[in-house]
Amino acid sequence: MAAMQRACKELYGMKAALVMVFVQTAFAGVNVLYKLAANDGMSLQVLVAYRFLFAIAFMVPLALIFERKNRPKLSWTVLLQAFLCGLFGGTMAQNLYLESLALTSATYSSAMTNLIPIMTFILAVSFGLERLRLGTMAGKAKVVGTLVGIGGAMLLTFYKGPKINLWDTHVNLLETTTSTGHAPAVHESSNIFLGSILALGSCLCYALWLIIQAKMSESYPAHYSSTALMSVMGSLQAVTYAMLREKDWSQWRLGWNIRLLTVMYAGIVGSGLIVTLTTWCVRIRGPLFVSVFNPLLLVLVALAGSMFLDEQLHLGSVLGAGLIVVSLYLVLWGKGKEMKGLNQSIPSTITNDISNHAHALEIIVSSSMINCDPADCACKDSAWKDNKGLLSPEDKETSMASEEKDKTAENRDPELQIRG
């Protein structure tokens, strides 16, 4: 039974890892479409608002169809957690990140997002969702893997090196969007300090979302419904913020162009499917496991940029990607080792509990016979042996004679009858 449980845990771990690779691949598509929509002149605040509106249209029917019978009871605590998930994981995280893009640069903001794993690790340890266990190899592997992943992401971002020509697709989707005549919505500025503060705020919001989502998954383990609730809360916040910031009502007009494709993909895949899968992984493996896959996004975006946006790959990208892969292996190995240790400790705990209960039972039985009458104890002992088939014929005759004698005495003594 224990071996079957360990096999199920390992299978879930492999599924969670594959799911997170798919999640980061889909996120890479969101980032590429973000670049195309921004290059077409679309307001990014309006884009975030539409993203959550499309997520509602996709997730609410799924929640009503697949979880109408097994949906947990909705409470005020769950509504508060959904509001916080929509606030930190949706509206604030994305709008702060996009504002930092406008004040600094895409390279700088992307580098700052690599602080998400270490922030998540610190918050998870603080809230008791993860344990350091630095005395074990698993704990050391998780810490070293997290730091190596951050270092690889920084190397990928800041170190260029010589160019590497792996392929030449001659595809540049940015040229098709600049021909519409719109000015790009994202621009660089010299206000690095404020942009850094906003980027750090975005990373902190995303890390807080993972922690709150882990708590919400415990009390409300309905992934479709929780994602739908988060989308509803996020849409209310994002639409309100976009209406206050964007005064040009023409920005809300969608046509059959890259803007409609971006908001549909970002809403259905980015805020619908991806958030649902992320919620499942957070519940199965914890928030740290999910956050360590975040630097993988830079690798996938770099590959997608070289294939579809005519961007060049450099040696720094390849070296950084290698370090990120090593970091993922270290963290996954540490988590797997940790889960095996927990599974092995469960049978020994059960055995200790059984032995403790048996010891307590033995003490209770023996203590109940301390103050009993010797003849009565002998009679009970004889009855127990008789039931077990351990009483000899001579002892059985003696026991029967003793019982008849006691009955005769009871009939003779009326006081004993009343007392009985």
Side-chain angles (χ1 to χ4, degrees):
M1 189 67 180
M4 186 180 297
Q5 289 178 350
R6 285 195 295 269
C8 291
K9 289 285 186 181
E10 291 177 359
L11 181 61
Y12 269 115
M14 292 178 60
K15 284 185 177 180
L18 293 176
V19 165
M20 285 310 304
V21 172
F22 171 76
V23 164
Q24 296 303 325
T25 305
F27 264 138
V30 173
N31 279 330
V32 171
L33 289 174
Y34 265 19
K35 290 182 180 180
L36 296 176
N39 196 63
D40 193 56
M42 185 176 186
S43 170
L44 297 179
Q45 289 79 25
V46 175
L47 193 157
V48 173
Y50 270 124
R51 173 176 177 167
F52 283 107
L53 291 175
F54 275 92
I56 291 175
F58 177 69
M59 290 306 305
V60 170
L62 289 180
L64 294 176
I65 293 172
F66 293 107
E67 293 177 343
R68 66 180 184 275
K69 294 182 178 180
N70 57 351
R71 186 184 301 111
K73 185 178 180 181
L74 195 63
S75 63
W76 289 107
T77 302
V78 174
L79 286 176
L80 177 61
Q81 290 172 341
F83 178 83
L84 294 177
C85 285
L87 180 65
F88 292 118
T91 307
M92 288 186 66
Q94 295 186 40
N95 280 293
L96 287 175
Y97 176 73
L98 295 175
E99 290 292 338
S100 69
L101 276 177
L103 292 174
T104 57
S105 66
T107 301
Y108 190 84
S109 298
S110 299
M112 296 294 285
T113 59
N114 299 313
L115 297 175
I116 291 177
I118 191 64
M119 286 185 174
T120 306
F121 187 72
I122 294 172
L123 290 174
V125 172
S126 302
F127 286 96
L129 299 176
E130 290 283 343
R131 294 185 179 179
L132 282 175
R133 293 190 176 96
L134 292 178
T136 63
M137 289 297 297
K140 294 176 182 177
K142 289 194 300 182
V143 175
V144 173
T146 304
L147 296 177
V148 170
I150 295 172
M154 293 295 182
L155 180 64
L156 185 149
T157 304
F158 292 116
Y159 175 68
K160 295 294 184 182
K163 292 182 181 180
I164 298 177
N165 294 319
L166 295 178
W167 50 67
D168 192 3
T169 60
H170 298 288
V171 176
N172 188 2
L173 298 178
L174 292 175
E175 293 179 354
T176 62
T177 56
T178 52
S179 61
T180 58
H182 296 286
V186 179
H187 57 85
E188 294 188 9
S189 175
S190 59
N191 200 347
I192 300 296
F193 178 74
L194 181 57
S196 302
I197 297 298
L198 295 177
L200 284 173
S202 174
C203 297
L204 181 60
C205 288
Y206 190 87
L208 282 171
W209 168 60
L210 293 177
I211 301 299
I212 298 171
Q213 187 63 61
K215 294 291 186 181
M216 184 177 177
S217 298
E218 296 175 359
S219 58
Y220 198 75
H223 306 307
Y224 296 114
S225 299
S226 64
T227 305
L229 284 173
M230 176 182 171
S231 299
V232 170
M233 298 297 182
S235 66
L236 294 175
Q237 300 158 4
V239 169
T240 302
Y241 178 73
M243 293 180 68
L244 292 175
R245 286 292 307 271
E246 185 56 58
K247 304 301 182 182
D248 186 6
W249 290 100
S250 63
Q251 287 287 342
W252 293 87
R253 189 180 302 115
L254 295 176
W256 295 100
N257 49 24
I258 191 61
R259 300 187 182 195
L260 179 61
L261 176 62
T262 300
V263 296
M264 286 184 63
Y265 182 87
I268 296 173
V269 179
S271 293
L273 181 62
I274 289 178
V275 173
T276 304
L277 295 175
T278 304
T279 302
W280 178 80
C281 289
V282 167
R283 185 186 177 194
I284 296 297
R285 301 306 295 261
L288 176 64
F289 177 87
V290 173
S291 67
V292 296
F293 283 86
N294 195 71
L296 184 62
L297 178 63
L298 283 177
V299 181
L300 298 173
V301 169
L303 293 176
S306 65
M307 295 176 64
F308 302 114
L309 304 179
D310 198 25
E311 295 179 353
Q312 296 291 330
L313 282 178
H314 296 81
L315 178 62
S317 302
V318 177
L319 294 178
L323 287 177
I324 290 172
V325 172
V326 171
S327 73
L328 290 178
Y329 174 79
L330 286 174
V331 175
L332 293 177
W333 181 86
K335 291 290 289 185
K337 200 77 172 175
E338 191 176 70
M339 296 299 293
K340 286 182 180 179
L342 291 175
N343 291 334
Q344 290 175 358
S345 65
I346 291 175
S348 61
T349 304
I350 295 174
T351 305
N352 291 335
D353 290 342
I354 292 174
S355 62
N356 291 336
H357 285 300
H359 182 63
L361 182 62
E362 182 182 356
I363 293 174
I364 292 172
V365 171
S366 59
S367 63
S368 65
M369 298 177 65
I370 291 176
N371 298 323
C372 68
D373 184 71
D376 190 30
C377 291
C379 181
K380 291 180 180 179
D381 185 59
S382 299
W384 181 82
K385 288 183 178 180
D386 188 19
N387 291 332
K388 296 295 181 180
L390 300 176
L391 200 63
S392 62
E394 294 81 2
D395 293 336
K396 186 179 293 186
E397 292 178 1
T398 305
S399 175
M400 291 176 64
S402 177
E403 289 179 1
E404 290 177 0
K405 185 177 179 180
D406 291 340
K407 288 180 180 179
T408 304
E410 289 179 3
N411 294 330
R412 289 177 181 177
D413 191 357
E415 233 178 334
L416 187 61
Q417 287 182 349
I418 295 173
R419 200 178 303 157

